[in-house]
Amino acid sequence: MGKSKVLVVGGTGYVGRRIVKASLEQGHETYVLQRPELGLDIEKLQMLLSFKKQGAHLVEASFSDHQSLVDAVKLVDVVICTMSGVHFRSHNLLLQLQLVEAIKVAGNVKRFLPSEFGMDPALMGHALEPGRVTFDEKMTVRKAIEDANIPFTYISANCFAGYFVGNLSQMGTLLPPRGKVILYGDGNVKAVFMDEDDVATYTIKTIDDPRTLNKTVYLRPPENILSQRQLIEKWEKLTGKQLEKSSINEQDFLASMKGLDYAGQVGLGHFYHVFYEGCLTNFEIGEGGEEASALYPEVNYTRMDEYLKVYV
């Protein structure tokens, strides 16, 4: 058994570019979808050309040309989709239904990893409006995959460090607070924080692994299961400075949703589920799931005190 050939759809995005890099590093023949809709987006084009220099193949296909998608899919064994599902960037999760259709027609794909990489949508049936749209759409894509009997792996990558760690989980900024920090409730609810490069490394590890076939893989390395308070303590230890802490209770936090724009309301709802409800850690991983750091103990994942050092 050689290593699977991989097609990355959405390869120039925040997660996608890391998936391309990890796929090449782990020795997979790697294809990246190049969409003619690129137009004059020079940054995307230059990133695609840099992938080519690193040994990836660019394959031209468009979501508005079904046959081109089928032809692209036929080149590979594994398809990984990393199209954006966040509302403050571009949100196009349901475009994946066309990709599912192409995979079904091509008939050769051994594994499909749809655009997930967040909390497990199967556990978010109770999620608040309007943020629940993300989970509902991911479940629509899952249903299409499973109805078509396409072999899959779903990756639940929890909180991306770039969005949740450098800012000590403060909303509306990506940088650490300088003097004051807001705690969600008592700040003791546990979440899981992941370096995005590690997300990509674990993702590529799963694609040829029979243990992850038709399973959800949770990225939950033990030392990165932390409360917001623990995250703040790591920062305070690094800087040698105490932050002034205030707390916002559940009711006031939810009330602050009023008056936000749509993308803001979606984001606030997701923060609520993570930091008040504990939706990333309030369940045991069951029969349909695996935990990545247990499967791949050889991965030396980034701990969050290490991650924070660059912000000091």
Side-chain angles (χ1 to χ4, degrees):
M1 285 285 289
K3 289 189 176 230
S4 285
K5 296 177 184 176
V6 177
L7 172 67
V8 183
V9 180
T12 59
Y14 185 65
V15 177
R17 69 187 76 164
R18 293 173 164 87
I19 297 279
V20 173
K21 182 170 168 277
S23 179
L24 289 166
E25 281 175 355
Q26 292 182 40
H28 293 272
E29 195 174 327
T30 305
Y31 293 75
V32 184
L33 200 74
Q34 179 181 331
R35 293 158 69 187
E37 296 85 352
L38 195 66
L40 296 176
D41 193 333
I42 189 77
E43 279 88 1
K44 276 190 181 176
L45 176 63
Q46 289 185 338
M47 194 183 299
L48 287 165
L49 294 174
S50 80
F51 294 154
K52 196 173 172 183
K53 282 182 186 164
Q54 292 162 51
H57 309 280
L58 302 182
V59 51
E60 202 160 308
S62 170
F63 278 86
S64 54
D65 177 357
H66 176 67
Q67 191 54 46
S68 72
L69 280 181
V70 174
D71 292 343
V73 162
K74 279 185 172 168
L75 296 168
V76 299
D77 311 299
V78 172
V79 178
I80 303 175
C81 186
T82 59
M83 298 175 84
S84 174
V86 290
H87 285 78
F88 60 88
R89 290 165 80 97
S90 58
H91 178 92
N92 40 26
L93 289 171
L94 290 181
L95 262 184
Q96 292 182 97
L97 294 174
Q98 296 171 47
L99 190 56
V100 171
E101 196 52 40
I103 291 169
K104 192 163 123 185
V105 171
N108 62 299
V109 168
K110 295 194 307 210
R111 197 82 65 98
F112 177 42
L113 282 67
S115 190
E116 295 248 349
F117 304 104
M119 32 190 127
D120 181 359
L123 302 176
M124 299 306 295
H126 64 290
L128 296 172
E129 296 282 7
R132 65 169 300 128
V133 64
T134 310
F135 312 119
D136 292 344
E137 289 183 0
K138 286 179 178 179
M139 290 308 288
T140 300
V141 173
R142 283 189 179 195
K143 185 176 188 311
I145 292 166
E146 291 169 30
D147 286 351
N149 289 316
I150 295 166
F152 63 83
T153 298
Y154 303 139
I155 303 289
S156 176
N158 299 306
C159 292
F160 291 161
Y163 286 110
F164 287 92
V165 174
N167 55 4
L168 307 183
S169 304
Q170 303 299 284
M171 294 192 77
T173 179
L174 296 173
L175 293 167
R178 286 295 167 222
K180 299 177 178 179
V181 64
I182 293 171
L183 292 169
Y184 302 114
D186 61 10
N188 290 325
V189 172
K190 292 278 170 79
V192 188
F193 302 96
M194 290 298 304
D195 181 307
E196 293 84 344
D197 293 337
D198 293 342
V199 171
T201 299
Y202 283 124
T203 298
I204 296 298
K205 289 254 180 203
T206 68
I207 62 179
D208 283 331
D209 188 342
R211 297 172 297 178
T212 61
L213 178 63
N214 299 336
K215 296 265 182 83
T216 299
V217 176
Y218 299 91
L219 276 47
R220 207 195 257 190
E223 289 185 45
N224 287 6
I225 301 171
L226 301 165
S227 67
Q228 187 197 10
R229 214 176 255 282
Q230 287 173 311
L231 195 61
I232 292 166
E233 281 166 9
K234 286 180 184 295
W235 175 250
E236 289 175 334
K237 194 172 169 188
L238 276 173
T239 59
K241 292 179 189 144
Q242 293 291 306
L243 292 170
E244 187 187 321
K245 296 166 195 72
S246 59
S247 169
I248 179 166
N249 67 37
E250 202 169 317
Q251 291 72 24
D252 291 345
F253 185 79
L254 289 173
S256 70
M257 196 185 281
K258 294 182 185 70
L260 292 177
D261 64 7
Y262 183 76
Q265 290 183 24
V266 168
L268 191 132
H270 293 177
F271 264 71
Y272 170 78
H273 293 300
V274 171
F275 291 109
Y276 289 92
E277 197 178 271
C279 70
L280 303 181
T281 56
N282 64 2
F283 63 95
E284 294 296 320
I285 296 171
E287 270 187 17
E290 296 286 348
E291 197 285 305
S293 68
L295 290 178
Y296 313 112
E298 69 277 11
V299 176
N300 182 22
Y301 63 89
T302 304
R303 275 64 171 174
M304 289 304 112
D305 35 10
E306 190 60 39
Y307 185 89
L308 278 167
K309 280 180 184 169
V310 74
Y311 291 87
V312 175

